[in-house]
Amino acid sequence: MKWILASLSVLAVAAGESTVSLRVARDATVSFNGIQCNNDTVPCSSIPRGLDNRLMSFRGNRDYERVLLGFDLPLNAPTKCVLRVPKPIDNSGDVSLTVATTDSVWEEATVNGYTKRLNGEQVGSLTATNGGELDVTDACARAVNHKLSLFVDTAGAMVTFNSLQSGSGDVFVLDYSF
C-alpha cells in the first residue's frame, strides 16, 4: 500500500507543471551603424563583441547597438516562458526595451552587424528600470531546434547589462514552464 501511495505521489508531481530557470547560453552586443572604429580603419558594425563583459543597447542618430541573447531550451513544449531582464548596470532614467525574435544561426565569438540581421518578429515591450519580466511563450513555442534567440533594443538612451563573460549572476534568464 505504501508503495502504491508513493508511486501515485511521484505521478502527481510528474504530471504537474515544472519550471526551469535557464541562464542565457550566448550573448553579444551587435552594432548596426555607419561609424568607423580603430582609427577610422574598420566599420564598427564588423567588430564582434560577443565576448565583452557588458551588453549594450542604444539608439542614436547613426548608431544602433542591440543586445543579442541565445537560450538552449528543453525538449518539452512550453506552457509558459518568461524572459527575466536583469537590473541595468548603467542607465539614465526609465529604460524602455523592446524584444524581438531572430534566428539562432550565430556564434557568440564572431557575431557582428554584418553577419546578423534583424529578421524576426517583435515579441513585446517592457519598462525595465529595475529589471523586469516579459512573457515570451509564443516565441519559445516557435523556437527551431530548441534554440531561442532574441534581440533586446532600447528606444533611446544607452543601457548596459552584465554579459555571461562578466562572471556576474545577474544576467538574462528565461523561466521555462512545461
mmCIF file of all heavy atoms in Angstrom, residues 25-71:
data_model
loop_
_atom_site.group_PDB
_atom_site.id
_atom_site.type_symbol
_atom_site.label_atom_id
_atom_site.label_comp_id
_atom_site.label_asym_id
_atom_site.label_seq_id
_atom_site.Cartn_x
_atom_site.Cartn_y
_atom_site.Cartn_z
ATOM 1 N N ALA A 25 22.579 31.335 -22.682
ATOM 2 C CA ALA A 25 23.695 30.458 -23.070
ATOM 3 C C ALA A 25 24.726 31.204 -23.908
ATOM 4 O O ALA A 25 25.907 30.862 -23.903
ATOM 5 C CB ALA A 25 23.168 29.257 -23.849
ATOM 6 N N ARG A 26 24.276 32.216 -24.648
ATOM 7 C CA ARG A 26 25.143 33.036 -25.509
ATOM 8 C C ARG A 26 24.601 34.456 -25.458
ATOM 9 O O ARG A 26 23.390 34.648 -25.445
ATOM 10 C CB ARG A 26 25.075 32.556 -26.971
ATOM 11 C CG ARG A 26 25.586 31.174 -27.217
ATOM 12 C CD ARG A 26 25.152 30.605 -28.577
ATOM 13 N NE ARG A 26 23.712 30.378 -28.722
ATOM 14 C CZ ARG A 26 23.013 29.463 -28.063
ATOM 15 N NH1 ARG A 26 23.596 28.701 -27.174
ATOM 16 N NH2 ARG A 26 21.715 29.320 -28.271
ATOM 17 N N ASP A 27 25.486 35.448 -25.466
ATOM 18 C CA ASP A 27 25.020 36.832 -25.532
ATOM 19 C C ASP A 27 26.069 37.692 -26.217
ATOM 20 O O ASP A 27 27.252 37.345 -26.265
ATOM 21 C CB ASP A 27 24.635 37.388 -24.160
ATOM 22 C CG ASP A 27 25.751 37.362 -23.126
ATOM 23 O OD1 ASP A 27 26.931 37.212 -23.493
ATOM 24 O OD2 ASP A 27 25.450 37.507 -21.938
ATOM 25 N N ALA A 28 25.617 38.796 -26.784
ATOM 26 C CA ALA A 28 26.522 39.688 -27.504
ATOM 27 C C ALA A 28 25.869 41.053 -27.675
ATOM 28 O O ALA A 28 24.647 41.179 -27.625
ATOM 29 C CB ALA A 28 26.858 39.116 -28.888
ATOM 30 N N THR A 29 26.694 42.050 -27.882
ATOM 31 C CA THR A 29 26.231 43.348 -28.359
ATOM 32 C C THR A 29 26.505 43.365 -29.855
ATOM 33 O O THR A 29 27.604 43.028 -30.296
ATOM 34 C CB THR A 29 26.991 44.501 -27.689
ATOM 35 O OG1 THR A 29 26.735 44.467 -26.281
ATOM 36 C CG2 THR A 29 26.556 45.849 -28.256
ATOM 37 N N VAL A 30 25.501 43.741 -30.636
ATOM 38 C CA VAL A 30 25.662 43.802 -32.087
ATOM 39 C C VAL A 30 25.437 45.244 -32.523
ATOM 40 O O VAL A 30 24.417 45.850 -32.191
ATOM 41 C CB VAL A 30 24.671 42.856 -32.800
ATOM 42 C CG1 VAL A 30 24.863 42.919 -34.306
ATOM 43 C CG2 VAL A 30 24.841 41.425 -32.292
ATOM 44 N N SER A 31 26.408 45.791 -33.252
ATOM 45 C CA SER A 31 26.329 47.168 -33.748
ATOM 46 C C SER A 31 25.746 47.194 -35.144
ATOM 47 O O SER A 31 26.131 46.391 -36.001
ATOM 48 C CB SER A 31 27.728 47.797 -33.799
ATOM 49 O OG SER A 31 28.278 47.861 -32.520
ATOM 50 N N PHE A 32 24.841 48.122 -35.367
ATOM 51 C CA PHE A 32 24.284 48.380 -36.689
ATOM 52 C C PHE A 32 24.461 49.875 -36.925
ATOM 53 O O PHE A 32 23.666 50.684 -36.453
ATOM 54 C CB PHE A 32 22.799 48.021 -36.734
ATOM 55 C CG PHE A 32 22.518 46.573 -36.482
ATOM 56 C CD1 PHE A 32 22.192 46.138 -35.209
ATOM 57 C CD2 PHE A 32 22.580 45.652 -37.508
ATOM 58 C CE1 PHE A 32 21.928 44.799 -34.961
ATOM 59 C CE2 PHE A 32 22.318 44.310 -37.275
ATOM 60 C CZ PHE A 32 21.998 43.883 -35.998
ATOM 61 N N ASN A 33 25.548 50.255 -37.600
ATOM 62 C CA ASN A 33 25.809 51.674 -37.796
ATOM 63 C C ASN A 33 26.770 51.902 -38.961
ATOM 64 O O ASN A 33 27.305 50.959 -39.525
ATOM 65 C CB ASN A 33 26.367 52.307 -36.514
ATOM 66 C CG ASN A 33 27.643 51.649 -36.051
ATOM 67 O OD1 ASN A 33 28.528 51.355 -36.835
ATOM 68 N ND2 ASN A 33 27.752 51.415 -34.757
ATOM 69 N N GLY A 34 26.987 53.151 -39.270
ATOM 70 C CA GLY A 34 27.920 53.517 -40.324
ATOM 71 C C GLY A 34 29.164 54.175 -39.776
ATOM 72 O O GLY A 34 29.883 54.856 -40.498
ATOM 73 N N ILE A 35 29.425 53.972 -38.511
ATOM 74 C CA ILE A 35 30.556 54.613 -37.842
ATOM 75 C C ILE A 35 31.806 53.762 -38.000
ATOM 76 O O ILE A 35 31.745 52.536 -38.023
ATOM 77 C CB ILE A 35 30.221 54.833 -36.345
ATOM 78 C CG1 ILE A 35 28.996 55.757 -36.238
ATOM 79 C CG2 ILE A 35 31.404 55.400 -35.595
ATOM 80 C CD1 ILE A 35 28.430 55.869 -34.845
ATOM 81 N N GLN A 36 32.953 54.412 -38.104
ATOM 82 C CA GLN A 36 34.244 53.738 -38.221
ATOM 83 C C GLN A 36 34.913 53.637 -36.853
ATOM 84 O O GLN A 36 34.826 54.551 -36.043
ATOM 85 C CB GLN A 36 35.163 54.500 -39.174
ATOM 86 C CG GLN A 36 34.682 54.554 -40.609
ATOM 87 C CD GLN A 36 34.816 53.221 -41.316
ATOM 88 O OE1 GLN A 36 33.880 52.445 -41.340
ATOM 89 N NE2 GLN A 36 35.969 52.959 -41.870
ATOM 90 N N CYS A 37 35.604 52.531 -36.598
ATOM 91 C CA CYS A 37 36.343 52.309 -35.362
ATOM 92 C C CYS A 37 37.823 52.072 -35.677
ATOM 93 O O CYS A 37 38.201 52.014 -36.856
ATOM 94 C CB CYS A 37 35.790 51.079 -34.632
ATOM 95 S SG CYS A 37 34.142 51.325 -33.939
ATOM 96 N N ASN A 38 38.625 51.885 -34.657
ATOM 97 C CA ASN A 38 40.060 51.609 -34.813
ATOM 98 C C ASN A 38 40.735 52.638 -35.719
ATOM 99 O O ASN A 38 41.281 52.306 -36.762
ATOM 100 C CB ASN A 38 40.296 50.190 -35.338
ATOM 101 C CG ASN A 38 39.799 49.135 -34.389
ATOM 102 O OD1 ASN A 38 39.536 49.410 -33.218
ATOM 103 N ND2 ASN A 38 39.644 47.925 -34.874
ATOM 104 N N ASN A 39 40.673 53.893 -35.299
ATOM 105 C CA ASN A 39 41.274 54.999 -36.069
ATOM 106 C C ASN A 39 40.713 55.097 -37.481
ATOM 107 O O ASN A 39 41.444 55.290 -38.451
ATOM 108 C CB ASN A 39 42.797 54.856 -36.116
ATOM 109 C CG ASN A 39 43.402 54.971 -34.737
ATOM 110 O OD1 ASN A 39 42.945 55.767 -33.914
ATOM 111 N ND2 ASN A 39 44.413 54.167 -34.473
ATOM 112 N N ASP A 40 39.403 54.947 -37.601
ATOM 113 C CA ASP A 40 38.697 55.043 -38.881
ATOM 114 C C ASP A 40 39.155 54.026 -39.919
ATOM 115 O O ASP A 40 39.105 54.277 -41.112
ATOM 116 C CB ASP A 40 38.828 56.456 -39.465
ATOM 117 C CG ASP A 40 37.946 57.451 -38.748
ATOM 118 O OD1 ASP A 40 36.983 57.018 -38.090
ATOM 119 O OD2 ASP A 40 38.209 58.659 -38.852
ATOM 120 N N THR A 41 39.561 52.834 -39.472
ATOM 121 C CA THR A 41 40.038 51.822 -40.409
ATOM 122 C C THR A 41 39.057 50.665 -40.596
ATOM 123 O O THR A 41 39.165 49.920 -41.567
ATOM 124 C CB THR A 41 41.385 51.228 -39.946
ATOM 125 O OG1 THR A 41 41.206 50.631 -38.660
ATOM 126 C CG2 THR A 41 42.465 52.307 -39.880
ATOM 127 N N VAL A 42 38.094 50.513 -39.671
ATOM 128 C CA VAL A 42 37.186 49.366 -39.710
ATOM 129 C C VAL A 42 35.771 49.824 -39.346
ATOM 130 O O VAL A 42 35.605 50.576 -38.391
ATOM 131 C CB VAL A 42 37.643 48.299 -38.679
ATOM 132 C CG1 VAL A 42 36.684 47.131 -38.648
ATOM 133 C CG2 VAL A 42 39.046 47.829 -38.959
ATOM 134 N N PRO A 43 34.774 49.381 -40.094
ATOM 135 C CA PRO A 43 33.400 49.691 -39.682
ATOM 136 C C PRO A 43 33.103 49.055 -38.326
ATOM 137 O O PRO A 43 33.366 47.865 -38.117
ATOM 138 C CB PRO A 43 32.544 49.054 -40.779
ATOM 139 C CG PRO A 43 33.462 48.814 -41.932
ATOM 140 C CD PRO A 43 34.829 48.631 -41.347
ATOM 141 N N CYS A 44 32.561 49.835 -37.412
ATOM 142 C CA CYS A 44 32.233 49.313 -36.077
ATOM 143 C C CYS A 44 31.277 48.133 -36.155
ATOM 144 O O CYS A 44 31.340 47.221 -35.330
ATOM 145 C CB CYS A 44 31.635 50.410 -35.205
ATOM 146 S SG CYS A 44 32.730 51.792 -34.882
ATOM 147 N N SER A 45 30.391 48.130 -37.164
ATOM 148 C CA SER A 45 29.426 47.039 -37.331
ATOM 149 C C SER A 45 30.087 45.697 -37.585
ATOM 150 O O SER A 45 29.476 44.653 -37.381
ATOM 151 C CB SER A 45 28.485 47.336 -38.495
ATOM 152 O OG SER A 45 27.740 48.482 -38.240
ATOM 153 N N SER A 46 31.330 45.707 -38.044
ATOM 154 C CA SER A 46 32.002 44.448 -38.381
ATOM 155 C C SER A 46 32.792 43.858 -37.221
ATOM 156 O O SER A 46 33.339 42.767 -37.336
ATOM 157 C CB SER A 46 32.948 44.666 -39.565
ATOM 158 O OG SER A 46 34.054 45.479 -39.173
ATOM 159 N N ILE A 47 32.835 44.548 -36.091
ATOM 160 C CA ILE A 47 33.633 44.090 -34.959
ATOM 161 C C ILE A 47 32.785 43.189 -34.052
ATOM 162 O O ILE A 47 31.768 43.623 -33.525
ATOM 163 C CB ILE A 47 34.184 45.283 -34.156
ATOM 164 C CG1 ILE A 47 35.096 46.132 -35.049
ATOM 165 C CG2 ILE A 47 34.911 44.807 -32.907
ATOM 166 C CD1 ILE A 47 35.545 47.422 -34.409
ATOM 167 N N PRO A 48 33.204 41.931 -33.851
ATOM 168 C CA PRO A 48 32.472 41.049 -32.931
ATOM 169 C C PRO A 48 32.641 41.520 -31.491
ATOM 170 O O PRO A 48 33.742 41.868 -31.073
ATOM 171 C CB PRO A 48 33.142 39.678 -33.116
ATOM 172 C CG PRO A 48 33.979 39.789 -34.333
ATOM 173 C CD PRO A 48 34.299 41.234 -34.516
ATOM 174 N N ARG A 49 31.529 41.538 -30.742
ATOM 175 C CA ARG A 49 31.583 41.978 -29.343
ATOM 176 C C ARG A 49 30.861 40.998 -28.435
ATOM 177 O O ARG A 49 30.356 41.356 -27.383
ATOM 178 C CB ARG A 49 31.002 43.382 -29.239
ATOM 179 C CG ARG A 49 31.881 44.354 -30.036
ATOM 180 C CD ARG A 49 31.444 45.776 -30.067
ATOM 181 N NE ARG A 49 30.926 46.299 -28.854
ATOM 182 C CZ ARG A 49 29.974 47.230 -28.815
ATOM 183 N NH1 ARG A 49 29.468 47.705 -29.921
ATOM 184 N NH2 ARG A 49 29.541 47.688 -27.669
ATOM 185 N N GLY A 50 30.871 39.725 -28.814
ATOM 186 C CA GLY A 50 30.196 38.704 -28.038
ATOM 187 C C GLY A 50 30.948 38.248 -26.808
ATOM 188 O O GLY A 50 30.380 37.588 -25.958
ATOM 189 N N LEU A 51 32.219 38.591 -26.704
ATOM 190 C CA LEU A 51 32.998 38.157 -25.550
ATOM 191 C C LEU A 51 33.298 39.310 -24.600
ATOM 192 O O LEU A 51 34.124 39.181 -23.697
ATOM 193 C CB LEU A 51 34.287 37.469 -26.016
ATOM 194 C CG LEU A 51 34.055 36.230 -26.901
ATOM 195 C CD1 LEU A 51 35.376 35.627 -27.343
ATOM 196 C CD2 LEU A 51 33.190 35.197 -26.202
ATOM 197 N N ASP A 52 32.616 40.441 -24.776
ATOM 198 C CA ASP A 52 32.766 41.581 -23.875
ATOM 199 C C ASP A 52 32.093 41.282 -22.533
ATOM 200 O O ASP A 52 31.182 40.459 -22.457
ATOM 201 C CB ASP A 52 32.132 42.839 -24.470
ATOM 202 C CG ASP A 52 32.880 43.364 -25.688
ATOM 203 O OD1 ASP A 52 33.967 42.840 -25.996
ATOM 204 O OD2 ASP A 52 32.364 44.294 -26.328
ATOM 205 N N ASN A 53 32.506 42.000 -21.492
ATOM 206 C CA ASN A 53 31.921 41.814 -20.156
ATOM 207 C C ASN A 53 30.553 42.459 -20.001
ATOM 208 O O ASN A 53 29.839 42.159 -19.052
ATOM 209 C CB ASN A 53 32.851 42.374 -19.080
ATOM 210 C CG ASN A 53 34.058 41.501 -18.877
ATOM 211 O OD1 ASN A 53 34.035 40.319 -19.152
ATOM 212 N ND2 ASN A 53 35.128 42.091 -18.395
ATOM 213 N N ARG A 54 30.238 43.369 -20.895
ATOM 214 C CA ARG A 54 28.955 44.079 -20.805
ATOM 215 C C ARG A 54 28.202 44.003 -22.119
ATOM 216 O O ARG A 54 28.800 43.944 -23.184
ATOM 217 C CB ARG A 54 29.178 45.545 -20.445
ATOM 218 C CG ARG A 54 29.641 45.719 -19.025
ATOM 219 C CD ARG A 54 29.635 47.161 -18.637
ATOM 220 N NE ARG A 54 29.941 47.274 -17.220
ATOM 221 C CZ ARG A 54 29.847 48.376 -16.548
ATOM 222 N NH1 ARG A 54 29.449 49.489 -17.158
ATOM 223 N NH2 ARG A 54 30.126 48.415 -15.263
ATOM 224 N N LEU A 55 26.896 44.051 -21.993
ATOM 225 C CA LEU A 55 25.998 44.127 -23.140
ATOM 226 C C LEU A 55 25.449 45.542 -23.195
ATOM 227 O O LEU A 55 25.183 46.141 -22.157
ATOM 228 C CB LEU A 55 24.848 43.136 -22.983
ATOM 229 C CG LEU A 55 25.233 41.676 -22.824
ATOM 230 C CD1 LEU A 55 24.011 40.863 -22.414
ATOM 231 C CD2 LEU A 55 25.834 41.146 -24.097
ATOM 232 N N MET A 56 25.257 46.062 -24.395
ATOM 233 C CA MET A 56 24.789 47.433 -24.520
ATOM 234 C C MET A 56 23.687 47.537 -25.563
ATOM 235 O O MET A 56 23.751 46.902 -26.616
ATOM 236 C CB MET A 56 25.967 48.324 -24.934
ATOM 237 C CG MET A 56 25.586 49.761 -25.134
ATOM 238 S SD MET A 56 26.995 50.858 -25.472
ATOM 239 C CE MET A 56 27.902 49.987 -26.693
ATOM 240 N N SER A 57 22.697 48.354 -25.245
ATOM 241 C CA SER A 57 21.657 48.692 -26.198
ATOM 242 C C SER A 57 21.556 50.211 -26.243
ATOM 243 O O SER A 57 21.564 50.875 -25.207
ATOM 244 C CB SER A 57 20.321 48.075 -25.779
ATOM 245 O OG SER A 57 19.340 48.310 -26.766
ATOM 246 N N PHE A 58 21.495 50.742 -27.467
ATOM 247 C CA PHE A 58 21.486 52.196 -27.649
ATOM 248 C C PHE A 58 20.915 52.502 -29.029
ATOM 249 O O PHE A 58 21.165 51.775 -29.983
ATOM 250 C CB PHE A 58 22.914 52.738 -27.545
ATOM 251 C CG PHE A 58 23.043 54.196 -27.891
ATOM 252 C CD1 PHE A 58 22.593 55.173 -27.020
ATOM 253 C CD2 PHE A 58 23.619 54.598 -29.082
ATOM 254 C CE1 PHE A 58 22.715 56.523 -27.331
ATOM 255 C CE2 PHE A 58 23.741 55.938 -29.403
ATOM 256 C CZ PHE A 58 23.289 56.897 -28.524
ATOM 257 N N ARG A 59 20.159 53.581 -29.110
ATOM 258 C CA ARG A 59 19.664 54.023 -30.407
ATOM 259 C C ARG A 59 19.932 55.515 -30.534
ATOM 260 O O ARG A 59 19.377 56.317 -29.802
ATOM 261 C CB ARG A 59 18.179 53.749 -30.549
ATOM 262 C CG ARG A 59 17.667 54.110 -31.936
ATOM 263 C CD ARG A 59 16.230 53.778 -32.079
ATOM 264 N NE ARG A 59 16.092 52.336 -32.046
ATOM 265 C CZ ARG A 59 15.126 51.679 -32.649
ATOM 266 N NH1 ARG A 59 14.208 52.330 -33.314
ATOM 267 N NH2 ARG A 59 15.046 50.373 -32.563
ATOM 268 N N GLY A 60 20.811 55.859 -31.456
ATOM 269 C CA GLY A 60 21.164 57.252 -31.698
ATOM 270 C C GLY A 60 20.882 57.634 -33.135
ATOM 271 O O GLY A 60 20.167 56.938 -33.852
ATOM 272 N N ASN A 61 21.490 58.735 -33.582
ATOM 273 C CA ASN A 61 21.259 59.194 -34.951
ATOM 274 C C ASN A 61 21.757 58.198 -35.987
ATOM 275 O O ASN A 61 21.042 57.830 -36.897
ATOM 276 C CB ASN A 61 21.927 60.550 -35.177
ATOM 277 C CG ASN A 61 21.230 61.644 -34.409
ATOM 278 O OD1 ASN A 61 20.046 61.530 -34.117
ATOM 279 N ND2 ASN A 61 21.946 62.687 -34.047
ATOM 280 N N ARG A 62 23.019 57.793 -35.861
ATOM 281 C CA ARG A 62 23.592 56.831 -36.808
ATOM 282 C C ARG A 62 24.091 55.568 -36.116
ATOM 283 O O ARG A 62 24.692 54.714 -36.750
ATOM 284 C CB ARG A 62 24.779 57.474 -37.531
ATOM 285 C CG ARG A 62 24.405 58.547 -38.479
ATOM 286 C CD ARG A 62 25.602 59.120 -39.205
ATOM 287 N NE ARG A 62 26.725 58.196 -39.307
ATOM 288 C CZ ARG A 62 27.983 58.571 -39.411
ATOM 289 N NH1 ARG A 62 28.290 59.842 -39.399
ATOM 290 N NH2 ARG A 62 28.940 57.683 -39.511
ATOM 291 N N ASP A 63 23.874 55.466 -34.836
ATOM 292 C CA ASP A 63 24.435 54.366 -34.058
ATOM 293 C C ASP A 63 23.321 53.557 -33.411
ATOM 294 O O ASP A 63 22.518 54.090 -32.655
ATOM 295 C CB ASP A 63 25.377 54.923 -32.986
ATOM 296 C CG ASP A 63 26.135 53.845 -32.251
ATOM 297 O OD1 ASP A 63 26.134 52.694 -32.712
ATOM 298 O OD2 ASP A 63 26.727 54.152 -31.211
ATOM 299 N N TYR A 64 23.273 52.274 -33.736
ATOM 300 C CA TYR A 64 22.307 51.364 -33.140
ATOM 301 C C TYR A 64 23.068 50.181 -32.553
ATOM 302 O O TYR A 64 23.782 49.487 -33.272
ATOM 303 C CB TYR A 64 21.305 50.839 -34.183
ATOM 304 C CG TYR A 64 20.499 51.930 -34.831
ATOM 305 C CD1 TYR A 64 20.943 52.539 -35.998
ATOM 306 C CD2 TYR A 64 19.303 52.330 -34.274
ATOM 307 C CE1 TYR A 64 20.200 53.547 -36.588
ATOM 308 C CE2 TYR A 64 18.553 53.329 -34.860
ATOM 309 C CZ TYR A 64 19.010 53.940 -36.024
ATOM 310 O OH TYR A 64 18.281 54.925 -36.612
ATOM 311 N N GLU A 65 22.924 49.982 -31.270
ATOM 312 C CA GLU A 65 23.524 48.836 -30.594
ATOM 313 C C GLU A 65 22.372 48.012 -30.045
ATOM 314 O O GLU A 65 21.451 48.551 -29.435
ATOM 315 C CB GLU A 65 24.417 49.278 -29.423
ATOM 316 C CG GLU A 65 25.407 50.379 -29.750
ATOM 317 C CD GLU A 65 26.595 49.897 -30.526
ATOM 318 O OE1 GLU A 65 26.924 48.700 -30.438
ATOM 319 O OE2 GLU A 65 27.190 50.713 -31.240
ATOM 320 N N ARG A 66 22.432 46.701 -30.234
ATOM 321 C CA ARG A 66 21.371 45.828 -29.728
ATOM 322 C C ARG A 66 21.978 44.657 -28.976
ATOM 323 O O ARG A 66 23.020 44.138 -29.350
ATOM 324 C CB ARG A 66 20.519 45.317 -30.884
ATOM 325 C CG ARG A 66 19.697 46.434 -31.492
ATOM 326 C CD ARG A 66 18.823 45.944 -32.619
ATOM 327 N NE ARG A 66 17.954 46.999 -33.071
ATOM 328 C CZ ARG A 66 18.251 47.831 -34.060
ATOM 329 N NH1 ARG A 66 19.384 47.732 -34.701
ATOM 330 N NH2 ARG A 66 17.389 48.774 -34.412
ATOM 331 N N VAL A 67 21.277 44.228 -27.937
ATOM 332 C CA VAL A 67 21.675 43.048 -27.182
ATOM 333 C C VAL A 67 21.095 41.830 -27.892
ATOM 334 O O VAL A 67 19.909 41.810 -28.239
ATOM 335 C CB VAL A 67 21.154 43.120 -25.730
ATOM 336 C CG1 VAL A 67 21.417 41.819 -24.991
ATOM 337 C CG2 VAL A 67 21.790 44.297 -24.993
ATOM 338 N N LEU A 68 21.928 40.824 -28.113
ATOM 339 C CA LEU A 68 21.502 39.568 -28.723
ATOM 340 C C LEU A 68 21.660 38.457 -27.690
ATOM 341 O O LEU A 68 22.726 38.305 -27.094
ATOM 342 C CB LEU A 68 22.360 39.274 -29.957
ATOM 343 C CG LEU A 68 22.091 37.977 -30.704
ATOM 344 C CD1 LEU A 68 20.652 37.900 -31.211
ATOM 345 C CD2 LEU A 68 23.077 37.845 -31.870
ATOM 346 N N LEU A 69 20.584 37.712 -27.460
ATOM 347 C CA LEU A 69 20.567 36.647 -26.460
ATOM 348 C C LEU A 69 20.264 35.309 -27.118
ATOM 349 O O LEU A 69 19.418 35.243 -28.019
ATOM 350 C CB LEU A 69 19.477 36.910 -25.415
ATOM 351 C CG LEU A 69 19.494 38.262 -24.714
ATOM 352 C CD1 LEU A 69 18.237 38.421 -23.861
ATOM 353 C CD2 LEU A 69 20.747 38.382 -23.851
ATOM 354 N N GLY A 70 20.924 34.256 -26.646
ATOM 355 C CA GLY A 70 20.653 32.904 -27.137
ATOM 356 C C GLY A 70 20.395 31.958 -25.974
ATOM 357 O O GLY A 70 21.180 31.917 -25.025
ATOM 358 N N PHE A 71 19.305 31.225 -26.043
ATOM 359 C CA PHE A 71 18.928 30.263 -24.998
ATOM 360 C C PHE A 71 18.805 28.871 -25.607
ATOM 361 O O PHE A 71 18.307 28.715 -26.718
ATOM 362 C CB PHE A 71 17.575 30.639 -24.376
ATOM 363 C CG PHE A 71 17.596 31.913 -23.602
ATOM 364 C CD1 PHE A 71 17.249 33.119 -24.204
ATOM 365 C CD2 PHE A 71 17.954 31.921 -22.258
ATOM 366 C CE1 PHE A 71 17.266 34.310 -23.492
ATOM 367 C CE2 PHE A 71 17.969 33.105 -21.539
ATOM 368 C CZ PHE A 71 17.631 34.306 -22.159
#
